[in-house]
Amino acid sequence: MSEFADPVPLTGERVALEPLAHHHAGELRAVVAEGDLHRTWYTRIPAPDAVEAEIERRLGLQRQGVMAPWAIRRLDTGALCGATTYMNVRPGDRKLEVGSTFLAPGAQRTGINAEAKLLLLTRAFEVLRCVAVEFRTHWHNHQSRTAIARLGAKQDGVLRNDTVMPDGTLRDTVVFSVLDTEWPAVRNGLRHRLAR
């Protein structure tokens, strides 16, 4: 397995990223049930009764070498509050995407997402030596688009009618990225946000 698909533990001051495992299922069921997170129409967040299958899907992709999945644990309460991944990993091109992320409503706007992304980007650029890291989201997911831009990623473009969603609608995918040459400024911006 490529180092790109190895979800090593990552820890900051607010959050710990733990390699995703089946024992996280109970806590993740509670996360997706909070505020009916799984009912958000423009995302693919599993329903509580589909969490085990989603964990197995992510672990299967890890075994194939194309995903590194993590569970997100907040350090102030010790509670699991979401999940995230490196996906579409391309070690030969030194690229990957950070995605398939969901975060409990109670953990949003707390700095947890910003620190999780800082940990993931630091590993991507400083350990894996990536030349680019992508973020993709649904055109209608304005909250995600704003959060990605606040990280310091730049919008590359929109892939029209890119994906058929579970309800049959077509998703326009907004693609953002951070380049290795931009990483020092992005890192400084994230550190500044977290220090406030």
Side-chain angles (χ1 to χ4, degrees):
M1 175 183 0
S2 159
E3 191 178 12
F4 278 55
D6 183 11
V8 299
L10 301 170
T11 304
E13 294 181 12
R14 293 176 173 85
V15 68
L17 301 182
E18 304 173 2
L20 184 66
H22 289 288
H23 68 81
H24 291 119
E27 289 179 282
L28 285 177
R29 276 194 301 275
V31 168
V32 298
E34 184 182 327
D36 285 333
L37 193 61
H38 63 285
R39 295 191 190 280
T40 309
W41 70 272
Y42 48 73
T43 65
R44 291 184 185 217
I45 298 171
D49 63 356
V51 165
E52 286 87 352
E54 177 61 13
I55 290 172
E56 183 52 39
R57 184 187 76 80
R58 291 180 187 212
L59 293 176
L61 290 170
Q62 181 189 357
R63 289 188 292 272
Q64 293 173 35
V66 295
M67 179 178 278
W70 285 272
I72 303 170
R73 187 171 302 281
R74 55 188 306 163
L75 296 178
D76 58 350
T77 66
L80 214 64
C81 62
T84 193
T85 74
Y86 283 164
M87 56 192 288
N88 301 318
V89 301
R90 296 167 41 197
D93 295 320
R94 295 175 29 220
K95 292 180 78 172
L96 56 82
E97 177 185 343
V98 172
S100 289
T101 302
F102 59 86
L103 199 61
Q108 295 173 14
R109 296 176 196 81
T110 63
I112 287 171
N113 184 55
E115 187 174 68
K117 295 305 190 287
L118 176 61
L119 293 169
L120 292 168
L121 289 168
T122 298
R123 176 167 170 73
F125 288 115
E126 298 178 19
V127 176
L128 301 176
R129 312 311 288 174
C130 286
V131 296
V133 173
E134 284 187 353
F135 299 86
R136 295 176 178 226
T137 192
H138 196 297
W139 174 264
H140 288 284
N141 192 343
H142 298 287
Q143 182 179 347
S144 178
R145 289 169 57 188
T146 300
I148 293 168
R150 285 188 71 217
L151 293 173
K154 292 183 174 63
Q155 184 174 318
D156 295 320
V158 180
L159 304 176
R160 307 279 305 225
N161 286 352
D162 181 51
T163 307
V164 178
M165 297 297 287
D167 66 359
T169 60
L170 293 168
R171 166 179 143 155
D172 289 347
T173 300
V174 187
V175 182
F176 294 82
S177 67
V178 176
L179 304 180
D180 56 348
T181 54
E182 299 166 337
W183 168 236
V186 170
R187 180 184 55 215
N188 287 347
L190 283 169
R191 286 177 176 167
H192 177 74
R193 275 178 58 192
L194 290 165
R196 290 187 299 186

